[in-house]
Amino acid sequence: MKTANTFILLLGFLIGINSIATAQCKTFTKNDCKPRLDPYIYNGQLNSAVLNEGDIAELMLTFYSNQDYRIVVCAAPELGKIVFRLVDEKGQELFTSKDHDFTEIWDFRTKSTQQLVVEVSVPESNSGELIKSGCVSILVGFLDKQ
Amino acid sequence: MKHLKFLFFLVFSALIISSCNNKKETQKKDVISFDSEKDLVHEKTVKKVFFNLPSPIEITQTILATKSTYNPELLNPVSNLSNYSSSSDLALNFGVYGADLCYCRVYDQLQSAIAYLAVIRKLTTQLQIPEDAGAETINRIEENIGNRDSIFQIISETYAEADGYLKENDRELTAALILIGGWVEGMHFAVNLQSNQNNQALINSIAEQKYSLDNLISLIEEYQDNAAIAEIYPFFEKLVLVYSNVTITRDKSVIVTDQDTKITSIDSETNIQITKEQLIEIKNLIGEIRTKIVS
């Protein structure tokens, strides 16, 4: 019985930690990332996750023709310089933040509708300390046509 | 000691099950192919962060290309709200009414927008989405109803807050139903506006929804056990079949930066082939799906 109680407590603790991390990630996205979309209109899709060093995450997005977009990829500072790339359906790299001083923002216009993959890479650290983890958010905004 | 072993067994089992689930998810969502060298890294570590579909705000943006007149008959009447009682119907129609609100915004129909806003507020309560995740921003819409520029911003925030709350609280099915409802209503606008005029931009937009449909059908397949989804699933299967014969080909993308405006464009020639018959079939299927959702 005692074991079962300990297990439930342990499980509750783990779930609790996960919930706190997710809630903190949402707050980080709202306070630190979303303002960077301005003056673009947020598309309303909340894409944030807690990633570990060395992780690569991706998100497939549809960008419509003749629209002006802003992509913001922002990460908790403890993750270091993250890299984000935009890759088209054919696997062709269209943009990498590595070539733009690790910028977190890219503004662009799409001439035709495109399915693009946003790929985010969290660098590995060689410090040998505990594995670092933190929130990473991918936000998309567009300009109102009217 | 025996108990301690049992505890370790339980925790270890939980971790194994969890990692198996994660692995399955990673494999299922591993959707793009890279060159062979990067593939190795890709298979090992890549995660698809979230499932993504266009919000009604983005879909209704395509309507702007039509320059058509406001047609209130395209909207789901607010009086229909009393017909919905199950959480699935409420969520699907949250999406439908959200798209309707965006449609009203596109045509500056502020009085209608207020009426649809009231409906969304009721649905937010009925779906047990807490005040701070929805209704607070809805209050702001009412305060800013005369300010057309801020309305899109506030609607998008409302969607993001509700979406975030539902995902955080293991209510992904509700979030998915809202997205499905919003997509169907957006398509309903597009196919009906298109049938009244021969607008190539709109035809292209309908054809290009092939991409969203690919994402949407994966989402729908995940929740086939839900009665509301089971009802509309066969129509989506037919829709996928029609779209499988719609061809979109694209040349290699080129990045061009205008030296005067400093705007960077992703430039590529696209060739879209969709027949009149296919457009009619899409219109009919969307009509059938929408009828199932709103009636």
Side-chain angles (χ1 to χ4, degrees):
Chain A
M1 189 62 191
K2 195 179 167 189
T3 310
N5 284 342
T6 313
F7 176 68
I8 290 164
L9 274 173
L10 187 65
L11 202 63
F13 177 69
L14 291 172
I15 292 168
I17 285 179
N18 187 43
S19 301
I20 292 166
T22 311
Q24 282 177 341
C25 198
K26 191 186 166 191
T27 308
F28 170 76
T29 306
K30 200 172 175 179
N31 297 339
D32 292 52
C33 310
K34 216 179 118 284
R36 298 184 208 183
L37 279 176
D38 190 56
Y40 288 71
I41 295 168
Y42 179 30
N43 76 349
Q45 297 278 315
L46 189 72
N47 303 301
S48 59
V50 177
L51 298 183
N52 298 323
E53 58 179 81
D55 275 352
I56 300 174
E58 66 174 25
L59 176 68
M60 185 176 274
L61 294 164
T62 305
F63 295 94
Y64 292 96
S65 55
N66 299 314
Q67 293 264 21
D68 291 294
Y69 287 103
R70 169 171 288 184
I71 288 187
V72 174
V73 177
C74 84
E78 55 268 29
L79 290 176
K81 287 182 175 177
I82 60 155
V83 175
F84 82 92
R85 306 193 309 144
L86 253 79
V87 180
D88 72 10
E89 290 164 298
K90 293 175 179 170
Q92 184 195 352
E93 182 180 281
L94 303 174
F95 174 85
T96 173
S97 63
K98 213 188 251 182
D99 296 342
H100 296 82
D101 198 24
F102 298 95
T103 181
E104 294 187 335
I105 294 172
W106 192 45
D107 295 343
F108 62 97
R109 180 173 290 169
T110 43
K111 291 272 173 79
S112 59
T113 298
Q114 300 250 355
Q115 284 262 87
L116 302 178
V117 173
V118 183
E119 186 198 89
V120 180
S121 310
V122 182
E124 302 229 28
S125 74
N126 300 316
S127 60
E129 295 166 5
L130 283 174
I131 293 174
K132 289 174 187 165
S133 67
C135 183
V136 176
S137 299
I138 305 171
L139 300 179
V140 176
F142 59 92
L143 285 181
D144 191 359
K145 279 181 176 176
Q146 286 182 318
Chain B
M1 189 63 188
K2 198 177 168 186
H3 284 168
L4 200 64
K5 276 185 184 170
F6 178 63
L7 178 66
F8 272 117
F9 171 73
L10 281 177
V11 173
F12 186 69
S13 303
L15 286 173
I16 292 286
I17 292 165
S18 164
S19 70
C20 286
N21 284 342
N22 286 341
K23 193 178 172 190
K24 188 181 161 196
E25 195 170 59
T26 303
Q27 284 171 343
K28 195 166 106 185
K29 292 176 176 175
D30 193 1
V31 286
I32 56 166
S33 61
F34 291 92
D35 59 56
S36 57
E37 190 186 311
K38 282 173 186 164
D39 247 343
L40 292 172
V41 180
H42 188 71
E43 278 176 16
K44 276 183 194 168
T45 54
V46 83
K47 298 172 180 176
K48 188 170 177 184
V49 186
F50 278 114
F51 205 90
N52 210 53
L53 276 172
S55 64
I57 303 155
E58 283 175 290
I59 297 168
T60 47
Q61 279 278 302
T62 60
I63 293 167
L64 291 169
T66 66
K67 294 184 172 57
S68 51
T69 52
Y70 174 69
N71 180 2
E73 287 178 13
L74 289 178
L75 303 171
N76 184 23
V78 292
S79 57
N80 276 357
L81 180 64
S82 56
N83 299 342
Y84 314 130
S85 54
S86 74
S87 57
S88 298
D89 285 345
L90 292 170
L92 282 165
N93 283 286
F94 185 108
V96 168
Y97 283 127
D100 288 347
L101 176 60
C102 293
Y103 181 84
C104 295
R105 153 63 177 82
V106 165
Y107 290 96
D108 287 332
Q109 298 295 316
L110 297 182
Q111 286 308 310
S112 299
I114 291 169
Y116 280 94
L117 205 53
V119 169
I120 289 175
R121 170 177 257 170
K122 280 182 192 164
L123 285 169
T124 305
T125 309
Q126 286 174 290
L127 285 166
Q128 295 172 332
I129 298 170
E131 289 276 309
D132 65 335
E136 188 184 79
T137 23
I138 287 172
N139 282 336
R140 284 176 50 212
I141 301 184
E142 283 175 343
E143 287 162 16
N144 289 278
I145 203 75
N147 181 358
R148 64 204 293 274
D149 291 337
S150 66
I151 293 175
F152 256 164
Q153 197 78 40
I154 298 168
I155 294 170
S156 72
E157 280 177 25
T158 307
Y159 258 84
E161 288 287 341
D163 189 45
Y165 171 79
L166 294 167
K167 283 174 181 169
E168 267 175 35
N169 290 277
D170 295 327
R171 291 178 61 190
E172 286 90 351
L173 170 63
T174 307
L177 289 164
I178 291 173
L179 283 173
I180 292 165
W183 186 82
V184 170
E185 189 72 347
M187 281 295 286
H188 162 73
F189 297 145
V191 293
N192 280 287
L193 291 169
Q194 189 280 321
S195 65
N196 294 328
Q197 54 177 294
N198 193 20
N199 185 312
Q200 194 54 45
L202 196 52
I203 291 171
N204 288 350
S205 291
I206 293 167
E208 287 165 343
Q209 288 301 317
K210 180 177 183 167
Y211 297 125
S212 296
L213 183 64
D214 285 345
N215 288 338
L216 197 70
I217 200 73
S218 310
L219 187 64
I220 289 170
E221 280 168 354
E222 268 185 56
Y223 298 109
Q224 272 186 72
D225 294 343
N226 174 273
I229 288 185
E231 203 180 348
I232 55 177
Y233 184 69
F235 298 99
F236 272 101
E237 280 187 311
K238 287 180 190 170
L239 205 52
V240 169
L241 203 61
V242 177
Y243 266 105
S244 67
N245 294 314
V246 174
T247 56
I248 304 173
T249 51
R250 176 173 294 110
D251 291 344
K252 195 179 174 188
S253 303
V254 181
I255 301 290
V256 182
T257 302
D258 188 305
Q259 292 308 313
D260 296 329
T261 61
K262 302 291 177 200
I263 293 171
T264 301
S265 301
I266 301 174
D267 201 352
S268 68
E269 282 297 316
T270 305
N271 180 21
I272 294 172
Q273 287 186 327
I274 183 166
T275 64
K276 277 182 186 172
E277 292 72 27
Q278 287 166 337
L279 283 166
I280 291 166
E281 278 186 89
I282 291 167
K283 187 187 174 209
N284 292 341
L285 286 166
I286 290 292
E288 287 182 83
I289 296 169
R290 185 178 181 269
T291 303
K292 294 267 178 205
I293 293 173
V294 303
S295 57

